[in-house]
Amino acid sequence: MPHADSSLIPPTISTKSEFYEFVAPQLRALLEGQRNWITNLSNAASLLYHSYESFSSHFGSEDRAVNWSGFYLHSSMFPLQPEEAKKSEGVLLLGPFSGKPACQLIRAQLGKGVCADAYVSRKTVIVQDVNSYPGHIACDGGTQSEIVLPIIVNDQAIGVLDLDCLAIAGFNEEDQKGLEEIVNIIINSCDWDI
Amino acid sequence: MPHADSSLIPPTISTKSEFYEFVAPQLRALLEGQRNWITNLSNAASLLYHSYESFSSHFGSEDRAVNWSGFYLHSSMFPLQPEEAKKSEGVLLLGPFSGKPACQLIRAQLGKGVCADAYVSRKTVIVQDVNSYPGHIACDGGTQSEIVLPIIVNDQAIGVLDLDCLAIAGFNEEDQKGLEEIVNIIINSCDWDI
């Protein structure tokens, strides 16, 4: 099967729970045989984005409801960072993603937006309406709701998986459950330099 | 301006030459202030993909003619590669991209596909019809044509920029000229560990 076809959702899938049960093994297969996180996060962001595109009616009324899927990671993960950035507690840098261009950098402090809050609190954050969220950073003015999951390796928060939706209240607890399994697959598929 | 809006092509743009003259300064602005290649290649792939999406009628008759935009890089660029991979002349790994999931790895030898040929020959390769190209790797069966540009830093080939199109003969010498400038902007925007 060409890799691109892994993001096709069959018409028999009719609930969010079934959606994530279908996507999880597709992701495992897509990442198999490769351990570097740049390649794997790139393919994971793409698989999620295009899988949601094939299942958009469950994420709002728009034609393509989930409009951004990707990763912010602590700057210490990135090559050639100044020593200061490696020591710093406070900066998440944009990693691989699918969707329109995005903000390069997020200060990882509580109150600096949804990604920052999920990273610092180490808890998944679901936001029904980003316009009323304190500290929200609008990389794309079209985004209405968001879910952000922390990525924790060896008890260390290394970044987040961030998903945006064009509809209000695009994500709920079913997404949280499904995406926590997706994050686990991603964590276990890669070697992490920590 | 939200970052996402940088990929909107105004209706006054009517030729490929004008398109690239518009996209180049958008790219410079988008990458400004950040020197790591993971963040910058992620944003560059997205800007190109969504800019083409806003200008699709010049790249075939399909609604979204350019269907993949991204990077393959030599494995020595990636963190935590085995020492063998660092020494090897021969492997390109998938880097940041926009589009559907893609092949993880390309053998960088002549005859192993368009990316491999552009990398080894250090020359831009334009393919009118990938189905008749020797050694073509079909990550996405929908792709009909392709352009691949080598990325050369300090006289060393470190990877390629790869663009796929759903139409036959999507790319020509105007694209080559415009994209060679795009590659120059990308090279100069990043610190490279070579």
Side-chain angles (χ1 to χ4, degrees):
Chain A
M1 184 178 80
H3 292 77
D5 294 345
S6 57
S7 60
L8 292 174
I9 304 299
T12 50
I13 305 289
S14 63
T15 67
K16 282 190 172 188
S17 165
E18 289 171 1
F19 171 81
Y20 289 106
E21 279 169 25
F22 179 83
V23 171
Q26 295 289 326
L27 180 63
R28 272 195 205 93
L30 184 65
L31 307 186
E32 197 177 338
Q34 182 51 241
R35 299 288 306 166
N36 94 73
W37 61 263
I38 302 169
T39 298
N40 283 355
L41 297 192
S42 299
N43 258 337
S46 168
L47 179 69
L48 287 172
Y49 183 86
H50 291 282
S51 297
Y52 286 117
E53 193 176 32
S54 290
F55 196 64
S56 59
S57 61
H58 292 257
F59 294 87
S61 56
E62 296 292 327
D63 186 36
R64 190 196 309 163
V66 174
N67 63 322
W68 204 90
S69 153
F71 299 89
Y72 280 90
L73 299 159
H74 192 270
S75 60
S76 61
M77 306 288 296
F78 289 69
L80 292 182
Q81 287 298 301
E83 281 308 305
E84 197 179 347
K86 290 201 178 183
K87 287 176 199 159
S88 162
E89 292 300 313
V91 185
L92 301 177
L93 291 173
L94 177 66
F97 68 92
S98 284
K100 289 188 180 171
C103 308
Q104 296 169 336
L105 182 147
I106 293 171
R107 301 272 161 208
Q109 299 162 11
L110 285 177
K112 296 291 182 186
V114 190
C115 286
D117 289 351
Y119 178 81
V120 176
S121 71
R122 304 162 70 109
K123 286 183 181 156
T124 297
V125 179
I126 299 174
V127 180
Q128 308 282 316
D129 180 357
V130 295
N131 303 299
S132 62
Y133 192 87
H136 171 64
I137 300 166
C139 290
D140 184 341
T143 295
Q144 300 296 320
S145 59
E146 188 167 359
I147 185 170
V148 182
L149 298 98
I151 302 173
I152 298 171
V153 177
N154 296 340
D155 202 38
Q156 186 174 331
I158 61 163
V160 297
L161 168 61
D162 179 16
L163 297 161
D164 294 343
C165 184
L166 291 169
I168 295 279
F171 305 105
N172 60 26
E173 287 68 21
E174 275 186 287
D175 298 292
Q176 177 172 353
K177 188 180 169 203
L179 287 167
E180 285 175 350
E181 173 62 12
I182 295 292
V183 167
N184 278 335
I185 294 169
I186 291 167
I187 288 171
N188 292 325
S189 76
C190 302
D191 296 324
W192 303 100
D193 187 15
I194 58 169
Chain B
M1 183 178 83
H3 292 77
D5 294 345
S6 57
S7 60
L8 294 173
I9 303 299
T12 50
I13 304 289
S14 63
T15 68
K16 283 190 172 186
S17 166
E18 289 171 0
F19 171 81
Y20 289 107
E21 280 169 25
F22 180 84
V23 171
Q26 296 287 326
L27 180 63
R28 273 195 205 93
L30 184 65
L31 306 186
E32 199 178 336
Q34 182 51 243
R35 299 289 306 166
N36 94 74
W37 62 263
I38 302 169
T39 298
N40 283 355
L41 297 192
S42 298
N43 257 336
S46 168
L47 179 69
L48 287 172
Y49 183 85
H50 292 281
S51 297
Y52 286 117
E53 193 176 33
S54 289
F55 196 65
S56 59
S57 60
H58 292 257
F59 294 87
S61 57
E62 295 293 327
D63 186 35
R64 190 196 308 163
V66 173
N67 63 323
W68 203 90
S69 154
F71 299 89
Y72 280 90
L73 299 160
H74 191 269
S75 59
S76 61
M77 306 288 296
F78 288 69
L80 292 181
Q81 287 298 300
E83 283 307 305
E84 198 180 346
K86 291 202 178 182
K87 288 176 199 158
S88 162
E89 294 299 314
V91 186
L92 302 178
L93 292 173
L94 177 65
F97 68 92
S98 284
K100 288 188 180 170
C103 308
Q104 296 169 335
L105 183 146
I106 293 171
R107 301 272 161 209
Q109 299 162 10
L110 285 176
K112 296 290 183 187
V114 191
C115 286
D117 289 350
Y119 177 81
V120 176
S121 71
R122 304 163 69 107
K123 286 183 181 156
T124 296
V125 179
I126 299 174
V127 180
Q128 308 282 316
D129 179 358
V130 295
N131 303 300
S132 62
Y133 192 88
H136 171 64
I137 300 165
C139 290
D140 184 342
T143 296
Q144 300 297 319
S145 59
E146 188 167 0
I147 184 170
V148 182
L149 299 97
I151 301 174
I152 298 171
V153 177
N154 296 340
D155 203 38
Q156 187 174 330
I158 61 164
V160 297
L161 167 62
D162 179 16
L163 297 161
D164 294 343
C165 184
L166 291 169
I168 296 278
F171 305 105
N172 60 26
E173 286 69 21
E174 275 186 285
D175 298 292
Q176 176 172 353
K177 189 180 166 201
L179 287 166
E180 285 175 350
E181 174 61 11
I182 295 292
V183 167
N184 277 335
I185 292 169
I186 291 167
I187 289 171
N188 292 324
S189 76
C190 303
D191 296 325
W192 302 99
D193 187 14
I194 59 168

